[in-house]
Short mmCIF file of all heavy atoms in Angstrom, two decimals:
data_model
loop_
_atom_site.label_atom_id
_atom_site.label_comp_id
_atom_site.label_asym_id
_atom_site.label_seq_id
_atom_site.Cartn_x
_atom_site.Cartn_y
_atom_site.Cartn_z
N THR A 1 0.83 -1.21 0.00
CA THR A 1 0.00 0.00 0.00
C THR A 1 0.86 1.26 0.00
O THR A 1 0.60 2.21 -0.74
CB THR A 1 -0.93 0.01 1.23
OG1 THR A 1 -1.79 -1.13 1.17
CG2 THR A 1 -1.78 1.28 1.26
N TRP A 2 1.89 1.26 0.84
CA TRP A 2 2.80 2.42 0.89
C TRP A 2 3.44 2.65 -0.47
O TRP A 2 3.51 3.79 -0.94
CB TRP A 2 3.88 2.19 1.95
CG TRP A 2 4.99 3.20 1.86
CD1 TRP A 2 4.98 4.47 2.35
CD2 TRP A 2 6.26 3.02 1.22
NE1 TRP A 2 6.18 5.10 2.04
CE2 TRP A 2 6.97 4.23 1.36
CE3 TRP A 2 6.85 1.94 0.54
CZ2 TRP A 2 8.26 4.39 0.84
CZ3 TRP A 2 8.13 2.11 0.03
CH2 TRP A 2 8.81 3.32 0.18
N ARG A 3 3.87 1.56 -1.11
CA ARG A 3 4.54 1.70 -2.40
C ARG A 3 3.59 2.25 -3.47
O ARG A 3 3.95 3.15 -4.24
CB ARG A 3 5.10 0.33 -2.85
CG ARG A 3 5.86 0.39 -4.16
CD ARG A 3 7.11 1.23 -4.01
NE ARG A 3 7.72 1.50 -5.30
CZ ARG A 3 7.45 2.54 -6.08
NH1 ARG A 3 6.56 3.45 -5.70
NH2 ARG A 3 8.06 2.72 -7.23
N ILE A 4 2.37 1.72 -3.51
CA ILE A 4 1.40 2.20 -4.49
C ILE A 4 1.00 3.64 -4.21
O ILE A 4 0.84 4.45 -5.12
CB ILE A 4 0.15 1.28 -4.52
CG1 ILE A 4 0.54 -0.12 -5.00
CG2 ILE A 4 -0.94 1.86 -5.43
CD1 ILE A 4 -0.61 -1.11 -4.96
N SER A 5 0.84 3.96 -2.91
CA SER A 5 0.39 5.31 -2.54
C SER A 5 1.41 6.38 -2.93
O SER A 5 1.05 7.55 -3.09
CB SER A 5 0.10 5.39 -1.04
OG SER A 5 1.29 5.27 -0.29
N GLN A 6 2.67 5.97 -3.08
CA GLN A 6 3.69 6.93 -3.50
C GLN A 6 3.38 7.51 -4.88
O GLN A 6 3.82 8.61 -5.22
CB GLN A 6 5.08 6.25 -3.54
CG GLN A 6 5.59 5.77 -2.20
CD GLN A 6 5.81 6.92 -1.23
OE1 GLN A 6 4.93 7.22 -0.44
NE2 GLN A 6 6.96 7.54 -1.27
N GLU A 7 2.64 6.74 -5.68
CA GLU A 7 2.30 7.19 -7.03
C GLU A 7 1.17 8.21 -7.02
O GLU A 7 0.85 8.80 -8.05
CB GLU A 7 1.88 5.99 -7.89
CG GLU A 7 2.90 4.86 -7.93
CD GLU A 7 4.24 5.30 -8.48
OE1 GLU A 7 4.23 6.15 -9.41
OE2 GLU A 7 5.28 4.81 -8.01
N PHE A 8 0.54 8.43 -5.86
CA PHE A 8 -0.62 9.32 -5.79
C PHE A 8 -0.37 10.54 -4.92
O PHE A 8 -1.28 11.12 -4.33
CB PHE A 8 -1.85 8.57 -5.26
CG PHE A 8 -2.30 7.45 -6.16
CD1 PHE A 8 -1.93 6.14 -5.89
CD2 PHE A 8 -3.09 7.70 -7.27
CE1 PHE A 8 -2.33 5.11 -6.71
CE2 PHE A 8 -3.50 6.67 -8.09
CZ PHE A 8 -3.12 5.37 -7.82
N ASP A 9 0.88 10.94 -4.83
CA ASP A 9 1.24 12.10 -4.00
C ASP A 9 0.47 13.35 -4.40
O ASP A 9 0.03 14.14 -3.54
CB ASP A 9 2.74 12.38 -4.10
CG ASP A 9 3.54 11.48 -3.17
OD1 ASP A 9 2.91 10.87 -2.30
OD2 ASP A 9 4.75 11.37 -3.35
N PHE A 10 0.31 13.55 -5.70
CA PHE A 10 -0.36 14.77 -6.15
C PHE A 10 -1.82 14.80 -5.71
O PHE A 10 -2.38 15.86 -5.45
CB PHE A 10 -0.27 14.87 -7.69
CG PHE A 10 -1.11 13.87 -8.42
CD1 PHE A 10 -2.33 14.24 -8.95
CD2 PHE A 10 -0.68 12.56 -8.57
CE1 PHE A 10 -3.11 13.31 -9.63
CE2 PHE A 10 -1.45 11.64 -9.26
CZ PHE A 10 -2.67 12.02 -9.79
N LEU A 11 -2.44 13.61 -5.58
CA LEU A 11 -3.82 13.56 -5.11
C LEU A 11 -3.89 13.84 -3.62
O LEU A 11 -4.82 14.51 -3.14
CB LEU A 11 -4.43 12.18 -5.41
CG LEU A 11 -4.77 11.89 -6.87
CD1 LEU A 11 -5.27 10.46 -7.02
CD2 LEU A 11 -5.82 12.87 -7.38
N PHE A 12 -2.91 13.35 -2.86
CA PHE A 12 -2.94 13.56 -1.43
C PHE A 12 -2.65 15.01 -1.04
O PHE A 12 -2.95 15.43 0.07
CB PHE A 12 -1.95 12.62 -0.74
CG PHE A 12 -2.44 11.21 -0.66
CD1 PHE A 12 -1.73 10.19 -1.26
CD2 PHE A 12 -3.62 10.90 -0.02
CE1 PHE A 12 -2.19 8.88 -1.20
CE2 PHE A 12 -4.09 9.61 0.05
CZ PHE A 12 -3.36 8.60 -0.55
N ASN A 13 -2.09 15.78 -1.97
CA ASN A 13 -1.94 17.22 -1.72
C ASN A 13 -3.31 17.87 -1.60
O ASN A 13 -3.50 18.81 -0.82
CB ASN A 13 -1.14 17.88 -2.85
CG ASN A 13 0.34 17.53 -2.75
OD1 ASN A 13 0.84 17.31 -1.66
ND2 ASN A 13 1.01 17.47 -3.89
N LEU A 14 -4.28 17.35 -2.35
CA LEU A 14 -5.66 17.85 -2.25
C LEU A 14 -6.24 17.51 -0.89
O LEU A 14 -7.03 18.26 -0.32
CB LEU A 14 -6.54 17.24 -3.35
CG LEU A 14 -6.24 17.69 -4.78
CD1 LEU A 14 -7.12 16.91 -5.76
CD2 LEU A 14 -6.50 19.18 -4.94
N PHE A 15 -5.84 16.35 -0.38
CA PHE A 15 -6.32 15.90 0.93
C PHE A 15 -5.94 16.91 2.01
O PHE A 15 -6.69 17.14 2.96
CB PHE A 15 -5.71 14.53 1.23
CG PHE A 15 -6.00 14.02 2.61
CD1 PHE A 15 -7.24 13.46 2.90
CD2 PHE A 15 -5.05 14.07 3.60
CE1 PHE A 15 -7.51 12.99 4.17
CE2 PHE A 15 -5.30 13.59 4.86
CZ PHE A 15 -6.54 13.05 5.14
N LYS A 16 -4.78 17.52 1.87
CA LYS A 16 -4.30 18.47 2.88
C LYS A 16 -4.98 19.83 2.75
O LYS A 16 -5.04 20.59 3.70
CB LYS A 16 -2.79 18.64 2.74
CG LYS A 16 -2.00 17.35 3.01
CD LYS A 16 -0.53 17.57 2.73
CE LYS A 16 0.26 16.28 2.92
NZ LYS A 16 1.68 16.45 2.58
N ARG A 17 -5.50 20.15 1.56
CA ARG A 17 -6.01 21.49 1.31
C ARG A 17 -7.49 21.66 1.64
O ARG A 17 -7.91 22.71 2.08
CB ARG A 17 -5.81 21.85 -0.17
CG ARG A 17 -4.34 21.98 -0.56
CD ARG A 17 -4.22 22.26 -2.04
NE ARG A 17 -2.85 22.13 -2.50
CZ ARG A 17 -2.48 22.14 -3.77
NH1 ARG A 17 -3.41 22.26 -4.71
NH2 ARG A 17 -1.22 22.03 -4.11
N SER A 18 -8.28 20.65 1.40
CA SER A 18 -9.72 20.80 1.55
C SER A 18 -10.33 19.60 2.24
O SER A 18 -10.08 18.47 1.86
CB SER A 18 -10.37 20.98 0.17
OG SER A 18 -11.76 20.85 0.25
N ASP A 19 -11.14 19.87 3.27
CA ASP A 19 -11.77 18.77 4.01
C ASP A 19 -12.66 17.92 3.12
O ASP A 19 -12.57 16.71 3.09
CB ASP A 19 -12.59 19.32 5.19
CG ASP A 19 -11.68 19.84 6.29
OD1 ASP A 19 -10.51 19.44 6.32
OD2 ASP A 19 -12.15 20.65 7.10
N VAL A 20 -13.57 18.58 2.40
CA VAL A 20 -14.55 17.86 1.59
C VAL A 20 -13.87 17.13 0.43
O VAL A 20 -14.00 15.92 0.26
CB VAL A 20 -15.63 18.82 1.04
CG1 VAL A 20 -16.59 18.05 0.13
CG2 VAL A 20 -16.39 19.48 2.18
N ILE A 21 -13.12 17.88 -0.37
CA ILE A 21 -12.44 17.27 -1.51
C ILE A 21 -11.41 16.27 -1.00
O ILE A 21 -11.24 15.18 -1.59
CB ILE A 21 -11.74 18.35 -2.37
CG1 ILE A 21 -12.79 19.29 -2.98
CG2 ILE A 21 -10.92 17.71 -3.47
CD1 ILE A 21 -12.19 20.42 -3.77
N GLY A 22 -10.76 16.60 0.09
CA GLY A 22 -9.73 15.73 0.64
C GLY A 22 -10.25 14.35 0.99
O GLY A 22 -9.66 13.34 0.60
N TRP A 23 -11.35 14.31 1.72
CA TRP A 23 -11.91 13.01 2.11
C TRP A 23 -12.40 12.23 0.90
O TRP A 23 -12.27 11.00 0.84
CB TRP A 23 -13.05 13.19 3.12
CG TRP A 23 -12.57 13.50 4.50
CD1 TRP A 23 -12.80 14.63 5.22
CD2 TRP A 23 -11.73 12.68 5.33
NE1 TRP A 23 -12.16 14.57 6.44
CE2 TRP A 23 -11.50 13.38 6.53
CE3 TRP A 23 -11.15 11.43 5.16
CZ2 TRP A 23 -10.73 12.87 7.56
CZ3 TRP A 23 -10.37 10.92 6.19
CH2 TRP A 23 -10.18 11.63 7.36
N MET A 24 -12.95 12.93 -0.08
CA MET A 24 -13.40 12.26 -1.31
C MET A 24 -12.20 11.63 -2.03
O MET A 24 -12.28 10.48 -2.48
CB MET A 24 -14.12 13.26 -2.23
CG MET A 24 -15.47 13.71 -1.71
SD MET A 24 -16.19 15.01 -2.75
CE MET A 24 -16.37 14.14 -4.30
N VAL A 25 -11.13 12.38 -2.15
CA VAL A 25 -9.92 11.88 -2.80
C VAL A 25 -9.35 10.70 -2.01
O VAL A 25 -8.96 9.68 -2.57
CB VAL A 25 -8.86 13.00 -2.93
CG1 VAL A 25 -7.52 12.42 -3.36
CG2 VAL A 25 -9.32 14.04 -3.93
N PHE A 26 -9.33 10.86 -0.69
CA PHE A 26 -8.75 9.83 0.17
C PHE A 26 -9.50 8.50 0.00
O PHE A 26 -8.89 7.45 -0.23
CB PHE A 26 -8.81 10.28 1.62
CG PHE A 26 -8.00 9.42 2.55
CD1 PHE A 26 -6.66 9.71 2.75
CD2 PHE A 26 -8.56 8.34 3.18
CE1 PHE A 26 -5.89 8.91 3.59
CE2 PHE A 26 -7.80 7.55 4.02
CZ PHE A 26 -6.47 7.83 4.23
N VAL A 27 -10.82 8.56 0.09
CA VAL A 27 -11.63 7.34 -0.04
C VAL A 27 -11.47 6.74 -1.44
O VAL A 27 -11.36 5.52 -1.60
CB VAL A 27 -13.12 7.64 0.25
CG1 VAL A 27 -13.98 6.44 -0.08
CG2 VAL A 27 -13.30 8.03 1.71
N PHE A 28 -11.42 7.61 -2.47
CA PHE A 28 -11.26 7.13 -3.84
C PHE A 28 -9.94 6.36 -4.00
O PHE A 28 -9.90 5.27 -4.58
CB PHE A 28 -11.30 8.31 -4.82
CG PHE A 28 -10.85 7.95 -6.21
CD1 PHE A 28 -11.68 7.24 -7.06
CD2 PHE A 28 -9.58 8.31 -6.66
CE1 PHE A 28 -11.27 6.90 -8.34
CE2 PHE A 28 -9.16 7.97 -7.94
CZ PHE A 28 -10.00 7.26 -8.78
N VAL A 29 -8.86 6.92 -3.48
CA VAL A 29 -7.55 6.28 -3.62
C VAL A 29 -7.49 4.97 -2.84
O VAL A 29 -6.93 3.97 -3.30
CB VAL A 29 -6.42 7.23 -3.18
CG1 VAL A 29 -5.07 6.52 -3.19
CG2 VAL A 29 -6.36 8.44 -4.09
N ILE A 30 -8.09 4.96 -1.66
CA ILE A 30 -8.13 3.74 -0.84
C ILE A 30 -8.84 2.63 -1.60
O ILE A 30 -8.36 1.49 -1.68
CB ILE A 30 -8.85 3.99 0.51
CG1 ILE A 30 -8.08 5.00 1.36
CG2 ILE A 30 -8.99 2.68 1.28
CD1 ILE A 30 -6.64 4.67 1.56
N LEU A 31 -10.00 2.95 -2.16
CA LEU A 31 -10.77 1.95 -2.92
C LEU A 31 -9.99 1.50 -4.15
O LEU A 31 -10.00 0.32 -4.50
CB LEU A 31 -12.12 2.52 -3.32
CG LEU A 31 -13.11 2.76 -2.18
CD1 LEU A 31 -14.35 3.49 -2.70
CD2 LEU A 31 -13.52 1.44 -1.53
N LEU A 32 -9.30 2.43 -4.79
CA LEU A 32 -8.52 2.10 -5.98
C LEU A 32 -7.41 1.12 -5.64
O LEU A 32 -7.20 0.10 -6.33
CB LEU A 32 -7.94 3.38 -6.60
CG LEU A 32 -7.08 3.20 -7.86
CD1 LEU A 32 -7.89 2.56 -8.97
CD2 LEU A 32 -6.51 4.54 -8.31
N ILE A 33 -6.67 1.40 -4.56
CA ILE A 33 -5.59 0.51 -4.14
C ILE A 33 -6.15 -0.86 -3.76
O ILE A 33 -5.60 -1.91 -4.12
CB ILE A 33 -4.82 1.10 -2.95
CG1 ILE A 33 -4.08 2.37 -3.38
CG2 ILE A 33 -3.83 0.10 -2.36
CD1 ILE A 33 -3.42 3.12 -2.23
N TYR A 34 -7.28 -0.86 -3.08
CA TYR A 34 -7.92 -2.11 -2.65
C TYR A 34 -8.26 -2.99 -3.84
O TYR A 34 -7.95 -4.19 -3.86
CB TYR A 34 -9.18 -1.78 -1.85
CG TYR A 34 -9.98 -2.98 -1.40
CD1 TYR A 34 -9.45 -3.89 -0.48
CD2 TYR A 34 -11.26 -3.20 -1.89
CE1 TYR A 34 -10.20 -4.98 -0.05
CE2 TYR A 34 -12.00 -4.29 -1.47
CZ TYR A 34 -11.46 -5.17 -0.55
OH TYR A 34 -12.20 -6.25 -0.14
N PHE A 35 -8.87 -2.41 -4.86
CA PHE A 35 -9.26 -3.19 -6.03
C PHE A 35 -8.06 -3.60 -6.89
O PHE A 35 -8.07 -4.66 -7.51
CB PHE A 35 -10.29 -2.43 -6.86
CG PHE A 35 -11.65 -2.38 -6.22
CD1 PHE A 35 -12.21 -1.17 -5.83
CD2 PHE A 35 -12.36 -3.54 -5.99
CE1 PHE A 35 -13.45 -1.13 -5.23
CE2 PHE A 35 -13.60 -3.51 -5.38
CZ PHE A 35 -14.16 -2.29 -4.99
N LEU A 36 -7.02 -2.77 -6.91
CA LEU A 36 -5.80 -3.15 -7.61
C LEU A 36 -5.16 -4.37 -6.96
O LEU A 36 -4.71 -5.29 -7.65
CB LEU A 36 -4.80 -1.98 -7.59
CG LEU A 36 -5.06 -0.83 -8.57
CD1 LEU A 36 -4.07 0.31 -8.32
CD2 LEU A 36 -4.94 -1.32 -10.01
N LEU A 37 -5.16 -4.40 -5.62
CA LEU A 37 -4.59 -5.54 -4.91
C LEU A 37 -5.45 -6.79 -5.11
O LEU A 37 -4.92 -7.89 -5.23
CB LEU A 37 -4.46 -5.22 -3.42
CG LEU A 37 -3.40 -4.18 -3.05
CD1 LEU A 37 -3.45 -3.88 -1.57
CD2 LEU A 37 -2.02 -4.67 -3.45
N ARG A 38 -6.75 -6.62 -5.15
CA ARG A 38 -7.64 -7.76 -5.38
C ARG A 38 -7.44 -8.35 -6.76
O ARG A 38 -7.41 -9.56 -6.94
CB ARG A 38 -9.11 -7.35 -5.21
CG ARG A 38 -9.52 -7.13 -3.77
CD ARG A 38 -11.02 -7.04 -3.63
NE ARG A 38 -11.67 -8.27 -4.04
CZ ARG A 38 -12.99 -8.45 -4.03
NH1 ARG A 38 -13.80 -7.47 -3.67
NH2 ARG A 38 -13.51 -9.60 -4.39
N ARG A 39 -7.28 -7.48 -7.76
CA ARG A 39 -7.03 -7.95 -9.12
C ARG A 39 -5.70 -8.69 -9.21
O ARG A 39 -5.59 -9.72 -9.87
CB ARG A 39 -7.03 -6.78 -10.11
CG ARG A 39 -8.41 -6.25 -10.44
CD ARG A 39 -8.35 -5.20 -11.51
NE ARG A 39 -7.81 -5.75 -12.75
CZ ARG A 39 -7.54 -5.03 -13.83
NH1 ARG A 39 -7.73 -3.71 -13.79
NH2 ARG A 39 -7.08 -5.60 -14.92
N ARG A 40 -4.70 -8.18 -8.50
CA ARG A 40 -3.38 -8.82 -8.51
C ARG A 40 -3.47 -10.19 -7.87
O ARG A 40 -2.86 -11.15 -8.33
CB ARG A 40 -2.37 -7.94 -7.77
CG ARG A 40 -0.96 -8.51 -7.78
CD ARG A 40 0.01 -7.55 -7.13
NE ARG A 40 0.16 -6.32 -7.89
CZ ARG A 40 1.00 -5.35 -7.57
NH1 ARG A 40 1.77 -5.48 -6.50
NH2 ARG A 40 1.07 -4.27 -8.29
N LYS A 41 -4.25 -10.30 -6.77
CA LYS A 41 -4.40 -11.58 -6.08
C LYS A 41 -5.09 -12.60 -6.98
O LYS A 41 -4.70 -13.75 -7.06
CB LYS A 41 -5.21 -11.39 -4.80
CG LYS A 41 -5.30 -12.67 -3.95
CD LYS A 41 -6.37 -12.58 -2.90
CE LYS A 41 -6.08 -11.51 -1.89
NZ LYS A 41 -7.08 -11.48 -0.81
#
C-alpha cells in the first residue's frame, strides 16, 4: 500500500487542502488501491 500510494502524491496534496475534496480523494484512492490488490491476487 505504501509503495502504491507513492504514485498518488499529487492527489494527497488535495487531501491536505480541503476537508470535503480531501476526504473524497482519500476514499477514492483507498478503494482504488484495494481493487488493484484484489485484481493482482
